Every structure is written in C-alpha cells, then in structure tokens.
Amino acid sequence: MIFAVVPAAGRSERMGTNKLLLPMAGRTVIECLVRALAEGGVQHVIVVTPVHATDVALAAEAAGAEVCLLPEPTSEMRETVELGVRWLEDRYRPRFDDAWLLAPADHPAIDAKAVRELCCRYPNDQGRTIIAPVFRGKRGHPVLLAWHHVSGIRAHPPHAGLDTYLRLHADEALEVPIDNDGILRDIDTPEDYARLKNARSGGRGAGNVDREA
C-alpha cells in the first residue's frame, strides 16, 4: 500500500495570504495536490495542518484527503511529517514493505502522471527504497520512501532536516525522469504564484523545492 503525507503547516508569510486556498485551475492549491496524489494511485492521503486552519482542512477533505490536526503551530516540516506518519501508524498499521510519498502542500503543479510514475517504480529490481522525481537533472517532489525510513527519520539528529536525511541515504535513491516541471514548482510568494499561473496558460517560469508549505 502507498500512503501520502502532505505537510501543510506553513504560515504563508511571504505570500501574505493562505497560499493553500488560492485558486488554481478551478480548484484551490491544496485540492490540486490532493487530487493528483489520489488519481496517481495513493490509497490514503493525509494532510497535516494546524487546528486553526479549518478552511484548509475542509478543502483537503472535500478533495478526498484525511486530515491530521497539529495541536501546536510549527513551521518545521520534519515535525509536521513525523506527526503525520504517526497518525497513519495508529490508524492503518503500515507494513515494512509499504511506502509513502512526502508531498509538500504548496506544489499544486504536481500531476497524477508523475505520481503514478513514482508509485510504479516501487518496489523495484534494484532494491532502491527512495524514489525521487527529476526534471532536467533537478530533483523535485513528491519523494517516495519505503515505510522503514520512518524509523530512520525518527533516529536522525533532532535538529537536522529531512533533506539531510535524504542526502545521507543517496545510495538508496532511484531517480525517475519526469517530463513535467511541475515537480519543481512551489508557490512561496505572489511572484511564484503569478509565474505558475502564467505557465499554466502557456508561459514559462520556475519554482523552488524543499520548503515547508
């Protein structure tokens, strides 16, 4: 079984408004991502968001996600993700050979085809347990990990981020070429949002990766 954890606890300070509720292709940003994950083959999508973010929770549930509420606000992605995987463990008892996708909530341009490409590569005959999407040599999101990496992340130094964990386990990673740069595009600022909307209508632009949503 494949799960997805969507950290959605950022404060959207640079955007000036809650970016996860901005309109994108007839939906909100959070709905775009949840739908792509579900349509790409993820059985359970869990969105982790603060208790006060009721509009985000409602939009995520409307798109088919389950919601895990953070008792205290945090801007740390690792803390958000660890709560999400613990929530999944309590409810679904994932097996050692199950997998999960780390999918930051502010990546609405991730599409179902990219998600499906990653899910189809697990398990694989190379024994790789981290599956990372790549567009023109650049890694993006979501990243698929075998469930056993949950215990590895918990044992990782307390103040180290998830990116350092992934780098430490680079020899376990399989890079999968994706023909859509949506895996690289996040929206942190009004300029990011404008570029992505412009790209959706035929223009070009670039986003950033590896930040809290």
Side-chain angles (χ1 to χ4, degrees), residues 17-50:
T17 187
N18 193 325
K19 59 186 174 182
L20 303 185
L21 298 174
L22 291 171
M24 182 68 64
R27 298 171 177 163
T28 62
V29 165
I30 188 65
E31 288 173 316
C32 287
L33 177 60
V34 170
R35 292 287 184 90
L37 292 167
E39 291 170 8
V42 176
Q43 285 88 353
H44 296 282
V45 179
I46 172 68
V47 173
V48 188
T49 195

Side-chain angles (χ1 to χ4, degrees), residues 12-154:
S12 300
E13 291 176 345
R14 283 179 286 176
M15 185 64 73
T17 187
N18 193 325
K19 59 186 174 182
L20 303 185
L21 298 174
L22 291 171
M24 182 68 64
R27 298 171 177 163
T28 62
V29 165
I30 188 65
E31 288 173 316
C32 287
L33 177 60
V34 170
R35 292 287 184 90
L37 292 167
E39 291 170 8
V42 176
Q43 285 88 353
H44 296 282
V45 179
I46 172 68
V47 173
V48 188
T49 195
V51 292
H52 60 78
T54 53
D55 289 346
V56 172
L58 289 172
E61 288 176 337
E66 299 168 77
V67 173
C68 169
L69 296 176
L70 279 164
E72 299 291 339
T74 179
S75 60
E76 296 297 326
M77 179 183 287
R78 178 175 169 181
E79 185 177 345
T80 307
V81 168
E82 288 197 46
L83 180 64
V85 294
R86 187 163 62 247
W87 192 96
L88 284 169
E89 285 175 328
D90 290 343
R91 284 157 181 78
Y92 295 108
R93 309 295 187 204
R95 300 178 304 180
F96 182 87
D97 58 348
D98 286 337
W100 58 291
L101 285 158
L102 170 59
D106 60 352
H107 282 64
I110 291 171
D111 64 12
K113 181 182 177 183
V115 174
R116 197 173 299 113
E117 290 260 359
L118 299 176
C119 292
C120 287
R121 298 299 186 100
Y122 183 82
N124 56 81
D125 57 10
Q126 300 177 54
R128 303 296 178 88
T129 59
I130 298 173
I131 317 295
V134 176
F135 178 79
R136 295 181 182 174
K138 293 183 178 180
R139 281 195 185 185
H141 285 291
V143 176
L144 185 148
L145 301 95
W147 192 264
H148 74 259
H149 284 290
V150 170
S151 59
I153 290 170
R154 286 176 176 148

